[in-house]
Amino acid sequence: RRLISDMIVDDTFEDKIKQRCVIATGDPSVADIMRFHDRPGEAGLKALEDGAPIFVDIKMVEAGILKKGHKSPIVAFIGQGDALAAAQGITRSSAGVIALQEKLSGSIVVIGNAPSALLTLCELIESKKVLPRLVIGAAVGFVNAAESKERLREIDVPSISTAGTRGGTPIAVAAINEIINTYARTAR
């Protein structure tokens, strides 16, 4: 961490999150693509204090999130709406968002892979059907990844995202884990 702090300042909570994401990827340029909207670190800390559930797009994100230091349950979208996905011809992660939408208000949502899940979540927020307390959007890839994160940044919800096509599970997990570690240190 000391080596990274020589490259990336650590004056703010957002800087600490950037550092953790750089460590997770081994890529200092990740700090340059991180975007923060509406004090997401503080929103995440308050949500963890309240035991808000953490919803994730895929099992890999679920596996990477720290299980200690908080009391928030972690639930993956994938597999929650498979019949809906088959019936409507949508992705399994999008169907999971739809299937669990009644539980998303007041939660933390972490998307480290699926642009379709992030777009579905954005639609639900825009239509005022859900309002998470924090959204971490690090969707990755060349189909709708950049667009889904741009859309997230236009919505009035605390968020952490990456610009462009880059993102992925390591960035999403690192961001939430830095918030969890900060919460665990302050909750003692």
Side-chain angles (χ1 to χ4, degrees), residues 81-90 95:
D82 289 354
L84 178 65
Q88 293 188 6
I90 60 176

Side-chain angles (χ1 to χ4, degrees), residues 39 114 127 140 166:
R39 302 173 58 90
S127 65
V140 64
R166 294 171 63 197

Side-chain angles (χ1 to χ4, degrees), residues 15 30 36 38 41 45 48 52 54 59 63 71 75 95 97 104 119 140 144 155 165 175 181:
D15 293 334
V30 165
F36 299 86
D38 198 18
L45 292 175
L48 289 172
I54 301 170
K59 295 286 188 181
K71 57 186 183 276
V75 178
V97 173
L104 299 182
L119 285 171
V140 64
N144 288 326
I155 298 173
T165 58
N181 279 334

Side-chain angles (χ1 to χ4, degrees), residues 101-117:
Q101 68 181 302
E102 292 181 10
K103 299 178 181 183
L104 299 182
S105 288
S107 72
I108 297 170
V109 179
V110 182
I111 296 178
N113 186 289
S116 60

Side-chain angles (χ1 to χ4, degrees), residues 56-125:
V56 303
D57 57 339
I58 61 171
K59 295 286 188 181
M60 189 178 351
V61 173
E62 179 183 18
I65 295 176
L66 295 168
K67 309 306 184 277
K68 294 182 180 178
H70 65 94
K71 57 186 183 276
S72 295
I74 305 167
V75 178
F77 291 133
I78 197 86
Q80 298 291 329
D82 289 354
L84 178 65
Q88 293 188 6
I90 60 176
T91 67
R92 292 176 64 218
S93 57
S94 289
V97 173
I98 294 167
L100 295 175
Q101 68 181 302
E102 292 181 10
K103 299 178 181 183
L104 299 182
S105 288
S107 72
I108 297 170
V109 179
V110 182
I111 296 178
N113 186 289
S116 60
L118 185 53
L119 285 171
T120 300
L121 179 66
C122 289
E123 289 170 15
L124 291 172
I125 296 170

Side-chain angles (χ1 to χ4, degrees), residues 1 4 10 12-24 34 36 40-42 44-45 48 64-66 68-70 110 134 136 160 170-186:
R1 189 80 181 229
I4 299 302
D10 58 0
T12 68
F13 193 6
E14 292 175 358
D15 293 334
K16 300 267 188 218
I17 294 169
K18 285 180 186 179
Q19 287 178 348
R20 176 63 76 106
C21 292
V22 166
I23 291 167
M34 300 291 299
F36 299 86
E42 290 80 358
L45 292 175
L48 289 172
I65 295 176
L66 295 168
K68 294 182 180 178
H70 65 94
V110 182
L134 169 64
I136 298 175
I160 300 170
I171 292 173
V173 168
I176 189 61
N177 282 348
E178 183 62 26
I179 295 169
I180 289 169
N181 279 334
T182 300
Y183 171 74
R185 282 193 305 274
T186 59

